[in-house]
Amino acid sequence: MSKKPSKSQLIATKTIYATLQLLKDNDGEMRGKEVVDHLRENLEFNDYEKHIYEKTGYVRWESVLHFYTIDAMKAGFLRKNKGTWIITSEGEKVIEENSPEEIYNLISKGYKKWEAANKKEKKELQELDEDEELEVNFTQQQKSIIDQVEADASSGIRDYIINKNPYEFQDLVGALLEAMGYHVSSIAERGPDGGIDIIAYTDPLGTKQPRIIVQVKHKPESAISSDEIQKLSGTLKRNSDVGIFVTSGRFSKPSRRESLMSREHIELIDFDRFVELWQEYYPKMDDDKKSLLPLHPVYFLGTN
């Protein structure tokens, strides 16, 4: 006789399935916060599932979801990159061929297989108190909490950038390029810019190649199209010109293909990569530049 699933397992079953299906229906990836917001609005949760943990302040079903996304990642169905959740090809296949319960079982088996291969402590899924169940594996619990904190931090940074106007976001890009060691010769003023927002060089006088042509789009809720990449390519007049496209949103798959196939080198920087670069070069900025997007580092206990 099979063991009756625990309440946490039931939560994981419906939220993980809904997550994979949502990602599959949205070009394969979404920000973690957007996933959680969508599930909150479209799934039904009872009072037990909506309970808020006193220790962390997090909602039970959200904590369960974050906890089991780690299993889904180890099973090979999900990836995470700087706050973005990405369904893998294996994840797309499993969502087409299996029920929510079968997917939960496959994820559990996949995690155990990874766990055995990496000689980690076994995660005991025996009959436990519901609040204890998610604390069985300390390492995974830590990762789950950090995952939620990072999602909150990413959301705060994203909201701050979204509230910038297009010219303020353009200034952020200019400040980042300078911190990276480039010399910004011009930043477009208000009005038509002919597809060129920033021109930068690798030396102060602009005598060395390449000339860097930067297109900046403040479109946080949109995906950049392949046509927009082609337009940037058309502005690269010199053979040595390099293009950089920076967006506060994301790039569609066709736009990424277009940049790879372009005769000219076109570098793509989406929101996540922009924040990653800002964090990396933040220590090299002066206080005026830092104030454009101020950050505060926080350190957590790591894992071996």
Side-chain angles (χ1 to χ4, degrees):
M1 182 176 179
S2 60
K3 189 171 82 172
K4 182 180 179 181
S6 69
K7 292 180 180 179
S8 291
Q9 291 171 350
L10 292 174
I11 296 172
T13 297
K14 73 176 179 180
T15 55
I16 289 292
Y17 178 84
T19 294
L20 294 177
Q21 187 65 61
L22 180 62
L23 294 174
K24 182 177 179 293
D25 294 341
N26 284 272
D27 205 25
E29 62 181 62
M30 288 179 67
R31 300 184 190 285
K33 182 180 183 301
E34 293 175 350
V35 172
V36 173
D37 288 344
H38 185 276
L39 299 190
R40 185 184 300 111
E41 294 174 3
N42 292 275
L43 294 183
E44 292 186 6
F45 296 103
N46 57 37
D47 289 341
Y48 173 83
E49 295 166 333
K50 292 187 290 186
H51 171 76
I52 297 176
Y53 290 116
E54 185 175 344
K55 288 183 180 179
T56 63
Y58 289 118
V59 180
R60 176 178 274 124
W61 75 262
E62 294 180 20
S63 293
V64 172
L65 171 62
H66 282 279
F67 187 85
Y68 279 94
T69 57
I70 297 172
D71 289 40
M73 291 167 66
K74 301 307 183 185
F77 302 151
L78 182 70
R79 291 194 300 111
K80 293 183 181 180
N81 181 31
K82 300 297 181 180
T84 297
W85 294 10
I86 306 161
I87 188 172
T88 64
S89 56
E90 292 85 353
E92 291 187 355
K93 183 178 180 181
V94 81
I95 197 75
E96 293 174 353
E97 301 175 353
N98 298 275
S99 68
E101 292 76 15
E102 291 170 333
I103 290 174
Y104 173 84
N105 291 331
L106 288 171
I107 287 174
S108 295
K109 289 178 181 178
Y111 178 86
K112 290 177 181 178
K113 182 178 180 181
W114 171 88
E115 183 181 57
N118 289 271
K119 298 181 180 179
K120 301 292 184 182
E121 288 185 15
K122 291 185 178 180
K123 184 174 70 171
E124 303 289 345
L125 289 178
Q126 44 193 309
E127 199 65 41
L128 294 169
D129 215 25
E130 283 297 323
D131 285 335
E132 292 177 358
E133 184 176 324
L134 297 184
E135 298 178 4
V136 175
N137 186 310
F138 175 76
T139 298
Q140 185 161 341
Q141 180 68 2
Q142 283 290 101
K143 290 179 179 178
S144 175
I145 293 173
I146 292 173
D147 185 39
Q148 293 178 79
V149 173
E150 286 179 339
D152 290 343
S154 177
S155 176
I157 293 172
R158 179 172 170 76
D159 290 343
Y160 187 87
I161 291 176
I162 286 176
N163 288 327
K164 298 282 187 182
N165 65 45
Y167 297 99
E168 290 172 330
F169 182 62
Q170 191 172 263
D171 290 339
L172 282 176
V173 175
L176 174 61
L177 290 172
E178 290 180 343
M180 294 175 73
Y182 296 105
H183 300 272
V184 175
S185 66
S186 67
I187 298 181
E189 298 179 355
R190 294 176 184 269
D193 53 33
I196 299 176
D197 293 309
I198 299 174
I199 298 177
Y201 296 92
T202 58
D203 69 294
L205 299 180
T207 60
K208 297 180 181 179
Q209 297 179 354
R211 180 179 66 162
I212 302 164
I213 306 298
V214 186
Q215 177 71 66
V216 181
K217 291 292 184 184
H218 190 32
K219 302 167 71 174
E221 305 301 332
S222 303
I224 299 300
S225 68
S226 59
D227 289 345
E228 292 174 283
I229 302 299
Q230 290 175 1
K231 289 178 182 177
L232 173 58
S233 179
T235 66
L236 307 180
K237 303 299 184 182
R238 303 176 186 174
N239 291 333
S240 61
D241 282 352
V242 169
I244 300 179
F245 203 119
V246 186
T247 177
S248 55
R250 60 188 179 88
F251 293 96
S252 66
K253 289 182 178 179
S255 70
R256 292 187 181 277
R257 285 196 296 269
E258 183 65 33
S259 70
L260 290 173
M261 299 300 293
S262 175
R263 180 177 62 85
E264 301 82 6
H265 178 78
I266 297 178
E267 193 72 16
L268 304 182
I269 300 177
D270 59 10
F271 171 82
D272 292 326
R273 191 177 179 196
F274 173 81
V275 172
E276 182 180 353
L277 289 170
W278 188 272
Q279 292 171 339
E280 180 179 352
Y281 289 93
Y282 188 74
K284 297 183 180 181
M285 298 180 186
D286 59 33
D287 290 342
D288 288 341
K289 296 294 191 298
K290 287 180 178 179
S291 67
L292 298 176
L293 176 56
L295 302 179
H296 182 77
V298 178
Y299 297 92
F300 291 89
L301 176 66
T303 58
N304 295 325

